[in-house]
């Protein structure tokens, strides 16, 4: 990583391999799709070349973010949504972002284990991705993976976040529709409001509706949202007025109503109402790529004598860290690309 860009011959090889993966993926080859997603997660040069071709083909699928605190039943609700979507013949992909293994960096909780019922369904593709320490409940490659699924013809892409609770508001900048899942009597309602988690919701689902207190929890959420201020300061977005639904994902109760609400929101999101969301997603994608590029280029200077000298100067309080960072940024300008070598793709 962090090396200068490959010579022209290597770039031609990368482009050829990327095009081959794209062709196979677009023709319905699931093994090629899996390999392409692996390249995306590893941020290889092949993935970057493939996305340059596939990204203009995306923009048709509905991206649905599923977030909320641990124990709310997000994975069970995702499985129930898959079943409901397949009843209508709609192809659906899932990006399930899981915590990272501290040893391998891979996903600790593979959702392919949790959703084995769909392993042989050609209309369903489930991909577990490790968060790799990325804040906000998402993997940094989540948006790119969703774009690949979109270009490959999936009508709906479900993005299930890690489940760390109140910090997972980042999904709202990735999805067309954000679903916040709560469980009855978990004591999370007030805290979630304070942290902003419910403020990003387009739909709030109180899951495990067969438990005592489920409808009371839904009523509390209705009341909180009704009491939320409607007037906002200049330049601030207007508060959302999300639907509040009750489901029992384990039995499928309430899931058809949830899908109907998602379809209604899809219609509004495709019009002018969704323009702000699309701009926010574009901004998040650009800044994520820029952040990755800067990180990789900074790492390429770790072993350079100038970096060691700057570190020593800061450690000795001969130079402040801001000036050192500015000097490194000046050195980084014009350096090579940030994607991993192409041979890491397979």
């Amino acid at each position: 990583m962090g090396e200068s860009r490959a010579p022209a011959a290597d770039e031609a090889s990368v482009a050829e391999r990327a095009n081959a993966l794209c062709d196979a993926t677009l023709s319905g080859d699931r093994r090629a799709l899996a390999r392409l997603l692996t390249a995306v997660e590893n941020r290889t040069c092949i993935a970057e070349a493939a996305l340059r071709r596939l990204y203009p083909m995306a923009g048709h699928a509905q991206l649905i973010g599923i977030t909320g605190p641990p124990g709310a039943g997000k994975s069970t609700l995702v499985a129930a949504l898959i079943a409901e979507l397949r009843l209508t013949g709609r192809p659906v992909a899932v990006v399930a972002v899981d915590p990272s293994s501290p040893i391998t960096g891979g996903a600790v909780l593979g959702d392919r284990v949790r959703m084995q019922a769909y392993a042989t369904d050609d209309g369903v593709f489930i991909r577990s991705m490790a968060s790799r320490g990325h804040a906000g409940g998402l993997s940094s490659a989540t948006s790119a993976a969703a774009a690949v699924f979109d270009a490959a013809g999936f009508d709906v892409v479900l993005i299930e976040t890690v489940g760390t609770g109140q910090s997972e508001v980042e999904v709202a900048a990735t999805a067309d529709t954000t679903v916040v899942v709560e469980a009855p009597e978990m004591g999370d309602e007030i805290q979630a409001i304070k942290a902003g988690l419910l403020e990003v919701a387009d739909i709030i689902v109180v899951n495990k509706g067969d438990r005592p207190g489920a409808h009371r929890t839904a009523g509390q959420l209705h009341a909180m949202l009704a009491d939320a201020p409607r007037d906002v300061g200049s330049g601030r977005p207007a508060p959302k007025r999300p639907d509040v639904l009750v489901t029992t994902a384990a039995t499928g109760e309430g899931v058809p109503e949830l899908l109907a609400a998602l379809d209604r929101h899809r219609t509004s999101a495709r019009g002018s109402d969704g323009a702000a969301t699309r701009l926010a997603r574009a901004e998040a994608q650009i800044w994520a790529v820029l952040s990755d590029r800067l990180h990789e280029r900074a790492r390429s200077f770790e072993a350079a004598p100038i970096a060691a000298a700057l570190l020593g100067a800061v450690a000795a309080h001969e130079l402040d860290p801001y000036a050192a960072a500015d000097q490194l940024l000046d050195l980084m300008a014009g350096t090579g690309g940030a994607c991993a070598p192409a041979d890491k793709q397979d």
Side-chain angles (χ1 to χ4, degrees):
M1 290 188 181
E3 299 173 357
S4 60
R5 285 201 176 275
D10 290 341
E11 289 185 357
S13 174
V14 165
E16 182 179 347
R17 294 169 65 184
N19 280 326
L21 267 183
C22 288
D23 289 341
T25 295
L26 294 173
S27 69
D29 186 334
R30 293 307 179 88
R31 292 182 64 184
L33 175 56
R35 290 174 62 199
L36 181 52
L37 291 169
T38 298
V40 165
E41 192 168 8
N42 291 332
R43 295 185 292 116
T44 69
C45 291
I46 284 180
E48 184 174 317
L51 283 165
R52 290 180 189 275
R53 174 179 170 186
L54 294 177
Y55 196 83
M57 302 179 187
H60 306 289
Q62 183 184 21
L63 309 185
I64 300 172
I66 310 290
T67 189
K74 294 188 296 296
S75 293
T76 307
L77 184 61
V78 167
L81 276 172
I82 292 172
E84 195 67 27
L85 286 161
R86 294 303 294 145
L87 286 176
T88 60
R90 296 160 70 179
V92 55
V94 179
V95 181
V97 184
D98 286 324
S100 299
S101 164
I103 299 173
T104 66
V108 173
L109 303 173
D111 282 76
R112 285 164 289 187
V113 175
R114 286 180 270 177
M115 302 178 187
Q116 282 297 315
Y118 304 100
T120 59
D121 188 340
D122 289 338
V124 179
F125 196 105
I126 299 168
R127 178 73 180 201
S128 295
M129 302 185 76
S131 61
R132 302 191 180 187
H134 189 73
L138 298 180
S139 162
S140 59
T142 302
S143 293
V148 170
F149 281 129
D150 192 345
F154 289 91
D155 182 59
V156 174
V157 180
L158 301 173
I159 303 169
E160 180 190 347
T161 65
V162 171
T164 54
Q166 298 162 4
S167 67
E168 298 185 62
V169 296
E170 185 181 300
V171 70
T174 303
D176 297 310
T177 305
T178 302
V179 178
V180 173
V181 185
E182 293 283 343
E185 308 296 351
M186 286 185 67
D188 282 308
E189 297 88 1
I190 296 292
Q191 292 302 317
I193 282 283
K194 287 181 180 178
L197 184 55
L198 296 186
E199 293 175 3
V200 305
D202 297 298
I203 299 171
I204 299 170
V205 172
V206 179
N207 194 30
K208 304 181 181 180
D210 53 343
R211 287 188 178 181
H215 289 277
R216 180 168 60 250
T217 297
Q220 291 172 345
L221 291 169
H222 268 298
M224 290 177 191
L225 293 166
D227 290 340
R230 295 180 180 272
D231 297 326
V232 295
S234 177
R236 297 184 60 189
K240 295 182 178 181
R241 289 291 179 262
D243 295 330
V244 180
L245 305 175
V246 178
T247 65
T248 305
T251 63
E253 185 178 355
V255 177
E257 290 78 8
L258 171 57
L259 185 56
L262 289 167
D263 286 340
R264 289 194 300 272
H265 193 267
R266 180 177 194 169
T267 300
S268 63
R270 285 184 168 177
S272 58
D273 291 346
T277 299
R278 292 190 292 272
L279 286 173
R281 183 187 309 138
E283 181 182 17
Q285 289 173 327
I286 292 170
W287 280 106
V289 172
L290 182 59
S291 177
D292 286 340
R293 292 247 197 275
L294 288 172
H295 178 71
E296 293 302 328
R297 293 187 188 187
R299 290 190 61 183
S300 72
F301 281 94
E302 284 180 345
I306 183 64
L310 288 171
L311 287 172
V314 173
H317 290 265
E318 297 168 354
L319 184 69
D320 66 87
Y322 304 101
D326 286 340
Q327 288 187 42
L328 280 177
L329 282 172
D330 290 339
L331 289 169
M332 287 159 54
T335 55
C339 56
D343 58 5
K344 290 192 176 182
Q345 116 82 21
D346 294 323

